[in-house]
Amino acid sequence: MSSKQVVLITGSSTGFGRLFAETLARKGHTVFATMRDPGGRNAKNASEIRALAEKDSLPIHVLELDVTNDASVQRAVDAAVAKAGRIDVAINNAGYYLSGLEEAVTTEQAQRLMDTNFFGPVRVNRAVLPHMRRQRSGVLMHISSGAGRVVLPSGGFYCASKFALEALAEAYSYELASQGIESVIVEPGQYETPVFGNTVKAADEARTDTYGAVNEIPAKLNAALSSSAGNAQDVADAVLRIIETPAGEKQLRYLVSPQGYGIDEINALSKRVQTSALEAFGLAADTKFFKGKAVASV
Ligand SMILES: NC(=O)c1ccc[n+]([C@@H]2O[C@H](COP(=O)([O-])OP(=O)(O)OC[C@H]3O[C@@H](n4cnc5c(N)ncnc54)[C@H](OP(=O)(O)O)[C@@H]3O)[C@@H](O)[C@H]2O)c1
């Protein structure tokens, strides 16, 4: 594989996704910066990215991709393969935060969150994998969160979506290694992006009348998260380093956070427990990708 890679990123209109697109393209990687509705609600974001690509001669192509829509995902992947001939890396980045006491979250809100944060990557991975299997190489990257390893009151559904994503990504890592395809998880702490402004609030507030002081938790947590947010470029730089790590040498999990809260300890313990569980089930030899890996902070 050439050291210059073809990368498809979801949720590139703002925040991490947009920074990933620019950071990777500046290093010569071909980027498909995908987003919802680039001709409508994201027209300004799409034209800013196209203008930057033109001005600095960057290999960035904007494509429409809504992760909640199978046909949209397939169209974007087909268009990227038609143009570049391959997809080396799929970065599952699109996602949002849902804030509120869990009882106030409606079933519909919970389903919509899972449809983006969890089923979005399910759709993207299923669309890119036939190409990666044909190439016998590729990287599925999953932008999880520290909240994919620790549980925050008033963020329970978001945590559930990221815990689910972590489980899927880890299972993929065991199953795909023998075909030369890596599945990696990036766990950012809190970073300054539009994520806080894009947070959806639990809709059924009447449900929490009896919660007393616990009702203060969402505001308290949101203030703590946004006031301690780091520079999002650090995450983009980490993603670049991961992508440029040679095949077979990547870790399964990367914690990228100025405040670790001991999540690296959870990851290290999880690796030990996973190893012994897989050995106990007689599956260790089939999952050799995992056996050679350690968890890492970058
Ligand atoms: N910032 C943090 O502190 C932090 C920490 C840990 C993890 N993360 C994760 O990082 C990822 C990126 O978030 P961010 O912080 O960069 O916030 P952001 O600026 O709000 O970016 C979220 C992106 O997801 C896109 N998106 C939402 N629903 C979509 C859909 N159905 N189809 C396609 N794209 C969709 C948004 O696009 P639209 O413009 O169309 O809405 C936007 O481009 C998320 O998965 C988030 O959970 C963030």
Side-chain angles (χ1 to χ4, degrees), residues 10-18 20 34-37 41-42 45 65-69 92-97 115-117 143-147 158 161-162 165 186-199 225 229-230 232 235:
T10 66
S12 308
S13 58
T14 57
F16 286 155
R18 185 146 163 188
F20 297 165
T34 75
M35 66 186 68
R36 289 191 284 199
D37 203 9
R41 63 189 292 251
N42 273 321
N45 293 320
L65 190 160
D66 178 341
V67 299
T68 64
N69 181 316
N92 286 294
N93 167 73
Y96 66 92
Y97 186 67
D115 204 21
T116 301
N117 291 11
I143 305 302
S144 174
S145 171
Y158 178 78
S161 73
K162 296 296 189 181
L165 180 65
V186 179
E187 297 168 337
Q190 58 270 32
Y191 285 91
E192 230 175 283
T193 69
V195 74
F196 300 109
N198 291 336
T199 293
L225 288 173
V235 182

Side-chain angles (χ1 to χ4, degrees), residues 57-244:
S57 302
L58 300 177
I60 306 181
H61 311 279
V62 174
L63 291 176
E64 190 274 341
L65 190 160
D66 178 341
V67 299
T68 64
N69 181 316
D70 289 294
S72 166
V73 170
Q74 195 60 55
R75 261 196 313 275
V77 169
D78 289 348
V81 172
K83 177 136 190 98
R86 56 191 295 122
I87 292 183
D88 298 310
V89 184
I91 307 184
N92 286 294
N93 167 73
Y96 66 92
Y97 186 67
L98 198 166
S99 167
L101 300 185
E102 312 322 325
E103 194 183 336
V105 175
T106 65
T107 308
E108 195 199 356
Q109 285 186 308
Q111 285 173 331
R112 201 173 303 148
L113 183 77
M114 291 302 286
D115 204 21
T116 301
N117 291 11
F118 176 69
F119 289 106
V122 170
R123 293 184 182 93
V124 170
N125 290 349
R126 283 183 54 79
V128 299
L129 274 169
H131 301 288
M132 292 182 175
R133 280 191 280 104
R134 177 175 46 79
Q135 297 160 195
R136 291 197 73 78
S137 68
V139 178
L140 303 177
M141 180 177 281
H142 305 85
I143 305 302
S144 174
S145 171
R149 290 309 240 177
V150 295
V151 177
L152 305 169
S154 77
F157 282 94
Y158 178 78
C159 294
S161 73
K162 296 296 189 181
F163 272 63
L165 180 65
E166 295 245 354
L168 176 75
E170 184 161 348
Y172 263 143
S173 79
Y174 303 139
E175 294 173 4
L176 290 167
S178 63
Q179 298 180 75
I181 299 166
E182 295 166 296
S183 172
V184 302
I185 299 166
V186 179
E187 297 168 337
Q190 58 270 32
Y191 285 91
E192 230 175 283
T193 69
V195 74
F196 300 109
N198 291 336
T199 293
V200 171
K201 285 212 168 70
D204 200 357
E205 279 180 356
R207 286 287 191 131
T208 62
D209 282 353
T210 60
Y211 279 67
V214 171
N215 264 316
E216 313 290 316
I217 289 178
K220 224 166 149 177
L221 176 64
N222 294 344
L225 288 173
S226 52
S227 68
S228 56
N231 180 351
Q233 184 61 46
D234 294 349
V235 182
D237 293 341
V239 163
L240 174 69
R241 284 198 296 277
I242 295 165
I243 284 174
E244 293 189 343

